[in-house]
Amino acid sequence: EKGIIKLKNEKYIKIIKVIPINYELKSELEKESILNSYKIFLKTCNFNLQILIQSKKENLEKHFFYLEQEKKQKDTKANLIYEKYIEYIKKINSENKSSSKNFYIIIHQNDEYQNNNPNYNLEKIIIENLNEKYFKIKETLSRCGNFIYEIGKKETIDILYSFFNCRKNFKN
């Protein structure tokens, strides 16, 4: 639920997704503000986390098909432009430069939790702690302009599948 996974070693993690800003398009003043906000994020998050970047090569076959259909409906000058554009996109795609990136943060549970008292629900406490960390990350990274959100069960499964089967994905 909500990106929380129980590992084999009885520990928990939470995966959250980050939709980043385009830093390069910002003014110098905005860049300085973003960097200051990011410093606050790093200082605030005094717990274990991982930043994960997942790249996927884009399948542009539908795009090429669409362009070919459009080219058929245009005059000869436009056809030349379409041909050059298709050639350029195919070159970029063959050089593996056309890819999408997904950004995730994996939050780890604290190690200090032990089940010494059978009267309280340890799992509930750990999940609450992971959610508190999520809100702390969301608050601080949102100041940088990023969008942070919890992922659902299906997206969690898709992420895990893609990372554990990266060789299969790489060949496709």
Side-chain angles (χ1 to χ4, degrees):
E1 289 294 313
K2 297 184 179 183
I4 295 178
I5 303 166
K6 184 176 183 180
L7 305 174
K8 284 183 180 180
N9 63 0
E10 299 297 316
K11 293 196 176 201
Y12 290 82
I13 61 171
K14 180 178 180 91
I15 302 174
I16 59 176
K17 188 167 187 172
V18 178
I19 308 295
I21 57 165
N22 192 335
Y23 183 78
E24 294 301 317
L25 296 178
K26 302 298 182 183
S27 70
E28 291 304 313
L29 186 60
E30 289 172 314
K31 286 179 179 181
E32 187 177 329
S33 175
I34 291 166
L35 287 176
N36 287 332
S37 295
Y38 192 70
K39 288 175 190 175
I40 292 169
F41 160 72
L42 293 175
K43 289 178 183 178
T44 303
C45 295
N46 56 353
F47 47 82
N48 292 334
L49 59 84
Q50 292 175 287
I51 298 174
L52 216 49
I53 303 170
Q54 178 188 50
S55 297
K56 289 183 181 178
K57 184 177 178 187
E58 293 295 324
N59 181 354
L60 299 176
E61 292 304 316
K62 287 182 184 177
H63 185 63
F64 294 141
F65 178 78
Y66 171 77
L67 290 173
E68 290 291 344
Q69 298 305 312
E70 286 292 311
K71 187 175 89 169
K72 290 177 185 175
Q73 299 173 13
K74 304 295 180 195
D75 62 34
T76 52
K77 272 189 175 179
N79 281 346
L80 183 61
I81 294 170
Y82 271 101
E83 285 177 30
K84 294 280 187 188
Y85 177 69
I86 291 169
E87 185 180 306
Y88 172 71
I89 297 297
K90 284 184 176 181
K91 181 180 180 232
I92 288 174
N93 198 37
S94 69
E95 294 172 353
N96 292 329
K97 291 184 180 176
S98 60
S99 64
S100 63
K101 294 189 184 319
N102 292 314
F103 298 85
Y104 301 97
I105 294 179
I106 300 174
I107 309 166
H108 297 261
Q109 83 175 59
N110 294 349
D111 288 333
E112 73 255 10
Y113 294 114
Q114 296 175 356
N115 198 358
N116 296 333
N117 184 347
N119 293 331
Y120 69 86
N121 185 343
L122 182 62
E123 182 176 310
K124 183 179 176 186
I125 292 170
I126 292 170
I127 290 172
E128 285 175 1
N129 180 263
L130 287 172
N131 285 325
E132 285 174 21
K133 291 175 182 178
Y134 158 70
F135 287 115
K136 188 180 282 190
I137 289 170
K138 184 175 182 173
E139 179 186 335
T140 55
L141 279 183
S142 293
R143 291 180 192 157
C144 299
N146 301 294
F147 293 100
I148 293 81
Y149 65 90
E150 296 175 310
I151 58 175
K153 186 174 183 178
K154 183 187 179 325
E155 191 171 1
T156 304
I157 292 168
D158 290 346
I159 293 165
L160 293 174
Y161 180 82
S162 68
F163 280 104
F164 289 122
N165 295 292
C166 61
R167 294 209 188 278
K168 284 183 185 177
N169 292 338
F170 184 72
K171 292 177 185 175
N172 290 338

